Amino acid sequence: TADHAKRMLINTAPFSFMHKEDINKTALMLSVVDFPKNVLLFTQDESKIEHIYILRSGSAARGRIENNKKNEEIMEKGDIFGGYSILANKGIAFENIETKEKASFYKLAREHFLNLCAKFPIIKEYFTDTFGEKILKKSYYSLIAGSVGVEEDVLGAFHNTIGNICNRNLVF
């Protein structure tokens, strides 16, 4: 229902930073999509992302496979997938998403998401900051290190320019 969607947005960063009237409008733009257990929804570096997805109920895992090693974390209610992929990865999934049990997501179209980012820069900053935190984790560091040729030192990524470790063709 729209009321449930509003409550979810009010309690989910970065949407919780929006004005109440914008939360109400955004809640009306959300649609619900359900998936059965054990379904790979998106494949890293392959799947095109046309929406952001907010976990509404159920269970899903997100992560990458690097060097034949699966690194994943369980998503919690309110976790969002697709924001960084849309903003800075040409709309290509950065991670795999797989349901672990029946899962329900709210989805928001790319166009509406980008409009919110333009109106509320804090939304865009949230996704870029969240990604920055992920690259400090070992599982994501290997992706960055492999793509820019830095040493196997977690601080090595900081000796590169942003242009060397991120896609230069940003949406904004």
Side-chain angles (χ1 to χ4, degrees), residues 107-166:
K107 67 180 188 173
L108 179 68
R110 177 184 189 275
E111 162 190 337
H112 297 304
F113 172 66
L114 291 174
N115 288 339
L116 289 175
C117 289
K119 185 172 184 176
F120 299 99
I122 195 165
I123 293 175
K124 179 181 164 190
E125 292 166 12
Y126 172 86
F127 287 100
T128 56
D129 289 351
T130 301
F131 180 73
E133 291 172 13
K134 282 188 176 198
I135 66 168
L136 294 176
K137 291 183 179 178
K138 185 73 172 162
S139 62
Y140 290 91
Y141 175 74
S142 65
L143 168 75
I144 303 303
S147 67
V148 296
V150 296
E151 296 176 21
E152 190 64 30
D153 162 11
V154 76
L155 296 177
F158 294 106
H159 298 289
N160 283 285
T161 64
I162 296 295
N164 285 341
I165 61 173
C166 294

Side-chain angles (χ1 to χ4, degrees), residues 47-151:
S47 300
K48 181 78 174 158
I49 305 298
E50 297 293 337
H51 299 84
I52 63 163
Y53 293 81
I54 305 168
L55 185 61
R56 184 173 176 258
S57 64
S59 179
R62 66 187 318 153
R64 291 188 60 85
I65 298 173
E66 299 296 333
N67 301 322
N68 295 322
K69 184 179 176 190
K70 190 175 189 178
N71 297 298
E72 68 179 19
E73 60 186 47
I74 299 297
M75 295 176 69
E76 297 179 14
K77 182 179 174 182
D79 281 354
I80 303 167
F81 173 77
Y84 180 79
S85 296
I86 289 172
L87 289 171
N89 202 34
K90 297 181 181 180
I92 304 299
F94 183 75
E95 301 172 297
N96 297 312
I97 297 290
E98 181 178 3
T99 59
K100 295 299 182 182
E101 59 184 53
K102 183 179 175 185
S104 180
F105 291 84
Y106 284 117
K107 67 180 188 173
L108 179 68
R110 177 184 189 275
E111 162 190 337
H112 297 304
F113 172 66
L114 291 174
N115 288 339
L116 289 175
C117 289
K119 185 172 184 176
F120 299 99
I122 195 165
I123 293 175
K124 179 181 164 190
E125 292 166 12
Y126 172 86
F127 287 100
T128 56
D129 289 351
T130 301
F131 180 73
E133 291 172 13
K134 282 188 176 198
I135 66 168
L136 294 176
K137 291 183 179 178
K138 185 73 172 162
S139 62
Y140 290 91
Y141 175 74
S142 65
L143 168 75
I144 303 303
S147 67
V148 296
V150 296
E151 296 176 21

